[in-house]
Amino acid sequence: DVYKRQVSTQSTWGIIHLNMRIGSIAVILSLVVLAAVQAQTSELEFLLSRHKKARIDPSTLSNIDEVTTNHFFLNLTVDFNTKKLAGTNTLTLRSKVKNLVRVDLDIQGLNIISVSSDQQHSGLRFQINDVDNLGKIIGYQLSIYLPRSYGVGEVFNITVKYETTDEAKAFSWMTPEQTAGKKYPYLFTQCQTIACRSVAPLQDTPAVKSTYSALLEVPSPLTAFMSANVTNYIVGKTSNYITFQMNVPIPSYLLAIIVGNVIQKPTGARTFVITEPEVM
């Protein structure tokens, strides 16, 4: 019995010692992981703090203190084969300073092809900047150099030709199998909070509110809706063309697009539901 008790005691202390060693290793590993996470967080916080000090709204790379958007017009073609939108965004801008020579816009996941203005159609010089190394977090800055300087209150137009890429965060492309009808593909956007910069180059901040209009070309027999009123609908052989108008100035994050086999049904005097006919 004494021998058995000694063996049992030794085994118990061995298990306790082993558990203590395992526990110590787990604590050390946890501390290492925590230190790595804290280091990454500290680096990100440092970059963001440095970025915030110089800007009114740290979420935008637009020079909103120098110029503002009155209106923008989207002319886009939706391609489900390439999962891209391609076309132009024409911005009507108003200078807020005496000597405006450059316009900065927010972009993310966009391929910028060319930029022109109402005074220079041959193309304006532009460059894409990764400000404070935050490109992968909040997107990039599209800097456009104007053909001349603009004074306070002067209004002018800029047109950016572009296409979306696979990195555009606002878009969700659904296959027919993912829809209720199982027959047609479906596209919808989610711009909140700062993903509208992947739909179009613009001043993507709630500090700027503007009206907008749009012309969308979508493959037949699909249709499209936006967070705006439909003003015209043209049915073509291979494509449908829908125009929209939003007359109330809104922040960019309220821009919305859906394309698919969808219908609209009123639920009241000023409200309605848009969805697939199979679930209406």
Side-chain angles (χ1 to χ4, degrees):
D1 292 341
V2 173
Y3 174 76
K4 290 182 179 180
R5 284 197 298 270
Q6 288 178 344
V7 171
S8 176
T9 301
Q10 291 175 355
S11 300
T12 301
W13 280 108
I15 293 172
I16 293 174
H17 183 64
L18 178 60
N19 288 338
M20 289 177 65
R21 292 185 62 184
I22 294 174
S24 299
I25 294 172
V27 169
I28 293 172
L29 290 175
S30 299
L31 291 174
V32 171
V33 172
L34 180 61
V37 171
Q38 287 178 339
Q40 292 179 350
T41 303
S42 298
E43 181 181 4
L44 177 59
E45 289 177 347
F46 169 74
L47 291 172
L48 288 174
S49 64
R50 186 178 66 178
H51 178 67
K52 289 177 181 178
K53 289 179 181 178
R55 309 199 64 84
I56 298 172
D57 178 0
S59 69
T60 182
L61 300 172
S62 300
N63 54 338
I64 58 176
D65 54 335
E66 297 179 332
V67 62
T68 191
T69 304
N70 287 348
H71 183 84
F72 63 91
F73 168 63
L74 297 172
N75 186 351
L76 300 172
T77 298
V78 179
D79 190 334
F80 277 94
N81 293 323
T82 61
K83 294 184 178 180
K84 290 182 179 180
L85 272 67
T88 59
N89 183 23
T90 299
L91 300 101
T92 300
L93 303 167
R94 176 173 52 84
S95 173
K96 299 168 65 176
V97 294
K98 294 180 180 180
N99 185 31
L100 180 69
V101 295
R102 192 181 81 182
V103 172
D104 296 330
L105 302 175
D106 294 297
I107 61 171
Q108 186 276 320
L110 300 181
N111 176 30
I112 307 300
I113 300 171
S114 64
V115 183
S116 60
S117 72
D118 48 7
Q119 293 192 350
Q120 183 173 321
H121 300 288
S122 59
L124 300 180
R125 185 168 68 93
F126 67 90
Q127 67 181 35
I128 297 172
N129 309 307
D130 186 359
V131 179
D132 292 337
N133 296 317
L134 293 173
K136 293 183 179 180
I137 303 172
I138 63 172
Y140 298 85
Q141 180 187 68
L142 172 62
S143 294
I144 301 167
Y145 297 90
L146 303 175
R148 68 171 180 88
S149 63
Y150 290 86
V152 177
E154 283 196 82
V155 177
F156 57 97
N157 294 326
I158 284 179
T159 298
V160 183
K161 185 178 181 181
Y162 70 99
E163 63 182 5
T164 63
T165 70
D166 294 338
E167 297 179 357
K169 296 180 180 179
F171 297 96
S172 293
W173 299 87
M174 300 175 65
T175 64
E177 292 75 19
Q178 293 175 300
T179 66
K182 311 295 183 184
K183 191 174 181 181
Y184 300 105
Y186 191 94
L187 163 67
F188 68 93
T189 61
Q190 173 60 51
C191 288
Q192 197 173 9
T193 53
I194 59 169
C196 196
R197 61 195 66 185
S198 67
V199 176
L202 38 66
Q203 294 181 311
D204 193 13
T205 168
V208 173
K209 297 178 178 64
S210 70
T211 58
Y212 80 88
S213 53
L215 167 60
L216 295 185
E217 178 185 350
V218 302
S220 180
L222 304 183
T223 188
F225 289 95
M226 296 186 70
S227 54
N229 293 323
V230 177
T231 55
N232 198 13
Y233 196 108
I234 300 175
V235 178
K237 291 183 179 180
T238 59
S239 298
N240 296 327
Y241 303 85
I242 308 101
T243 60
F244 304 87
Q245 184 73 37
M246 168 53 71
N247 292 322
V248 178
I250 61 171
S252 54
Y253 70 83
L254 290 180
L255 178 71
I257 303 172
I258 62 168
V259 180
N261 180 35
V262 290
I263 58 175
Q264 175 179 301
K265 183 178 180 180
T267 57
R270 297 187 301 169
T271 59
F272 48 85
V273 173
I274 300 172
T275 187
E276 295 181 74
E278 290 81 4
V279 296
M280 181 63 76

